[in-house]
Amino acid sequence: MLRPTGPPPRAASLVLAVSLILAAGCGEPRRLVGGGRARCTICHGSGDDPAPPRSPLGESSTAEPGVGAHRLHLRDTAIRLALACSECHVVPDRVDAPGHLHGPLLSWGPLATARGAQPSWDAAGLRCSGVYCHGGIAAIHGGSSTAPVWTYAAEPDYALPPEQTCTSCHGWPPPAPHPQLTGCAGCHGKTVRADGTIDVAGGKHVNGAVDFGGSGDGTLHCDSCHGYPPPSGAHLVHFGWTEGAGQGAYGDARALGDLVAAGLLPPSHPAYAFECGNCHPLDVAKHMDGVVQVELADPGAPAGSLKSRNPQTAAYSSGRCSSVYCHSSGQADDAAASTPVHVVTPAWTSGATIGCSSCHGNPPRYPSGGPGAVTANSHLGLAFDDYEFGHFGGMPGVWHPGPTFGSKHGQGDWTALNDASPITCQTCHYATVDPARTGPSGFYYLDTSGDYLLAGSVTHYDCLACHSAGDPAAPTRTGGVLPLFHVNGTRDVVFDPREALPAIPWLPSAPFTPSRPFWVTNASPLVDTLPAGAVYDPAVIPPPPGETWPFTERTLSLHLGDATWAPATKTCSNVACHLAETSVVWGGAPEDYFSPCARCHGL
């Protein structure tokens, strides 16, 4: 084989050497296509691999430009599939095809020029630059080695951490506006595995496109970067709509009711759904900035949202929230000047199961501000004489003079027919409580192990006087709610619509058995006409021998099908339990012995 006498540039030497080889020994021009890769290896490469080494000049060192990084590009690596020769060269179908021996050495293909890249070759410095594969759009990618030397002494070490390997072609992460996060798998789940390695076989890395989507649909959703919601801490307890990532948006302050109203979820959805904006910043500039932020107070929160009900003191610190509307007695939803009673929340990662008292008293027991006031409360309170009263005590409520100064529920014995139904959350919040969480009687379960003593009270409701903790008849935390009408920014009053009483084994025996869901035995109201929903059951209780009772005593049964609630005035109307009192404003208390009696008895 002849060699040139002068020292031409190496690229020219390569072309000249191939021409001389063909002239000296290859004979007439021949087709390459059909002969397979082996025909190419007549001049370069070895075996069935046309990629040098060996170069047409017989070189084998990667320090030689005829060898360089050819074989590194033409085989799979830990970060990409093998590249085609056509990305850098014209691949001829004949030895004498134009551009093979006498044309330009380089001719850039679609991957090399993808996304507007403009490759170039520096023959003197033996460098490529501007090639897509090496972060050719440098201003966007932020790679540190966008013009690598073609000849090299050692192959890249792909076992090095990503900040030493990924950054050659693009930043880790790329510069803004790319999110400053290094967990690539979240947004590029079709390209990067969860452990940070490249899914080479998937063909999505160094392919000329930016492939989004953790789920592989090519669209960037909330779950492309993290779980929707993340499975850590109490996220799933607060947001139980894991299928809605395609509808999610940063700063979304909606809650379950809003999603139902938008037709995204059915009213029967079984879990809370507080969108991320309720606890995280509403400002999109704080999203994907590399800092996980909890921001519970924002004066710019949408009007009516749960976040707008949080005071400016609401905060997240030391792993728990404080002063948040959702964990309070809730008065702040009525007026900005009101002061809700906030409850200390469990630690976010505690895994604690919370009950009613984790947000408000069980029952709510904040001091009443008076009838119709912002802080009105008739759940449980103290009467003028320091005896407890309230709906929580059950029928006949709200405060009843007598030997026990309290509810007849559990206070008498059935042989004396001194019995009454309970009043539970279900009585006035029927749409809120879970009907699957009721006892055999059809009444909503209460936590009978609670202590319901109020400060200054002479006596108090003590469920454990009759029940015992752990007894199936007195289950603890067995009640449950329907999320749509609970922690939703409003106080939903829906009266128990049942008109028939379920069969209960422990009801007073005939003929004194009540017929409607709410009842009082040994009842003696003096109203001439019972309100709608109230009836006397047929039995009349005779007085003991030799005695005359001042009243005719019998069983009074009631239902609340005609009762209504006016939230603006906090007024109940047509509540059969109140008998002579056709309307009553929430938050009142008995002032003396006789005034409250007249309201029901009609004295």
Side-chain angles (χ1 to χ4, degrees):
M1 182 177 69
L2 299 178
R3 287 185 175 271
T5 56
R10 288 192 152 185
S13 297
L14 180 63
V15 174
L16 179 58
V18 171
S19 299
L20 293 173
I21 290 171
L22 292 175
C26 288
E28 78 283 356
R30 65 196 72 184
R31 293 187 62 82
L32 296 178
V33 176
R37 293 159 63 99
R39 301 300 299 274
C40 298
T41 60
I42 293 175
C43 298
H44 45 76
S46 59
D48 63 350
D49 190 345
R54 160 183 60 90
S55 76
L57 295 177
E59 300 158 329
S60 59
S61 171
T62 57
E64 299 294 336
V67 178
H70 276 108
R71 186 152 291 187
L72 178 59
H73 283 72
L74 268 68
R75 63 173 170 80
D76 296 346
T77 70
I79 65 170
R80 55 149 177 81
L81 292 172
L83 303 177
C85 300
S86 56
E87 289 300 333
C88 301
H89 300 285
V90 173
V91 178
D93 61 350
R94 300 178 64 91
V95 173
D96 61 346
H100 184 210
L101 301 178
H102 304 289
L105 282 176
L106 301 177
S107 178
W108 307 107
L111 178 59
T113 57
R115 306 190 71 215
Q118 298 180 345
S120 63
W121 168 251
D122 176 7
L126 299 176
R127 291 178 179 270
C128 295
S129 62
V131 183
Y132 167 80
C133 315
H134 292 283
I137 314 174
I140 297 176
H141 290 166
S144 62
S145 181
T146 55
V149 177
W150 174 251
T151 54
Y152 65 94
E155 290 195 7
D157 184 357
Y158 298 111
L160 293 173
E163 58 267 28
Q164 293 180 253
T165 53
C166 298
T167 52
S168 294
C169 300
H170 52 73
W172 190 74
H178 188 284
Q180 296 305 288
L181 303 173
T182 55
C184 309
C187 294
H188 305 287
K190 297 184 296 182
T191 305
V192 185
R193 300 185 185 95
D195 63 0
T197 59
I198 304 298
D199 180 6
V200 175
K204 298 295 184 181
H205 195 225
V206 193
N207 66 341
V210 178
D211 294 290
F212 289 119
S215 57
D217 64 358
T219 304
L220 187 61
H221 295 153
C222 294
D223 64 349
S224 297
C225 300
H226 50 69
Y228 186 76
S232 59
H235 279 105
L236 289 169
V237 175
H238 289 74
F239 192 82
W241 184 33
T242 56
E243 303 84 5
Q247 300 290 338
Y250 188 78
D252 191 344
R254 291 179 296 176
L256 177 58
D258 304 307
L259 301 175
V260 170
L264 298 174
L265 289 173
S268 59
H269 187 72
Y272 292 109
F274 305 116
E275 287 277 13
C276 60
N278 286 289
C279 300
H280 296 286
L282 302 176
D283 183 1
V284 70
K286 296 181 179 180
H287 189 213
M288 298 190 293
D289 60 355
V291 180
V292 178
Q293 301 180 66
V294 178
E295 190 174 275
L296 301 177
D298 186 339
S305 66
L306 297 183
K307 191 163 194 169
S308 70
R309 292 173 168 82
N310 288 339
Q312 291 305 298
T313 54
Y316 178 81
S317 178
S318 300
R320 70 174 70 233
C321 302
S322 62
S323 300
V324 288
Y325 163 82
C326 302
H327 289 272
S328 77
S329 55
Q331 298 99 314
D333 72 302
D334 292 305
S338 63
T339 304
V341 178
H342 294 106
V343 177
V344 176
T345 65
W348 181 256
T349 58
S350 68
T353 300
I354 65 174
C356 303
S357 58
S358 295
C359 299
H360 51 70
N362 180 26
R365 61 184 70 192
Y366 54 90
S368 177
V374 168
T375 55
N377 184 20
S378 293
H379 290 101
L380 183 66
L382 292 180
F384 69 97
D385 51 2
D386 291 335
Y387 280 93
E388 288 184 354
F389 79 95
H391 291 77
F392 171 77
M395 295 292 286
V398 291
W399 174 89
H400 200 267
T404 58
F405 284 89
S407 166
K408 288 188 175 183
H409 176 68
Q411 296 296 327
D413 67 73
W414 299 337
T415 59
L417 298 175
N418 192 18
D419 188 30
S421 64
I423 292 179
T424 68
C425 310
Q426 173 190 34
T427 304
C428 301
H429 303 288
Y430 193 84
T432 304
V433 303
D434 186 347
R437 302 293 190 92
T438 56
S441 65
F443 283 101
Y444 180 70
Y445 278 121
L446 290 175
D447 184 353
T448 53
S449 65
D451 181 3
Y452 306 108
L453 176 65
L454 292 177
S457 175
V458 173
T459 186
H460 70 288
Y461 302 117
D462 184 3
C463 300
L464 293 181
C466 298
H467 299 278
S468 60
D471 189 322
T476 301
R477 290 184 176 177
T478 305
V481 296
L482 300 177
L484 180 61
F485 292 103
H486 193 238
V487 196
N488 63 349
T490 63
R491 296 171 179 175
D492 295 287
V493 175
V494 176
F495 292 103
D496 186 344
R498 297 177 299 165
E499 297 188 4
L501 177 64
I504 306 172
W506 46 262
L507 286 175
S509 58
F512 308 110
T513 306
S515 60
R516 299 190 175 189
F518 301 94
W519 73 86
V520 180
T521 62
N522 203 7
S524 55
L526 300 180
V527 291
D528 295 328
T529 304
L530 292 178
V535 296
Y536 285 124
D537 289 301
V540 176
I541 304 171
E547 295 186 19
T548 301
W549 285 348
F551 309 124
T552 300
E553 298 182 340
R554 64 196 101 183
T555 300
L556 177 66
S557 294
L558 314 106
H559 70 67
L560 301 176
D562 298 296
T564 60
W565 164 254
T569 59
K570 296 182 180 293
T571 301
C572 299
S573 300
N574 303 317
V575 180
C577 307
H578 285 271
L579 296 177
E581 193 174 24
T582 57
S583 67
V584 59
V585 180
W586 181 257
E591 294 84 9
D592 55 45
Y593 281 106
F594 298 105
S595 176
C597 300
R599 294 174 185 173
C600 294
H601 286 275
L603 295 175

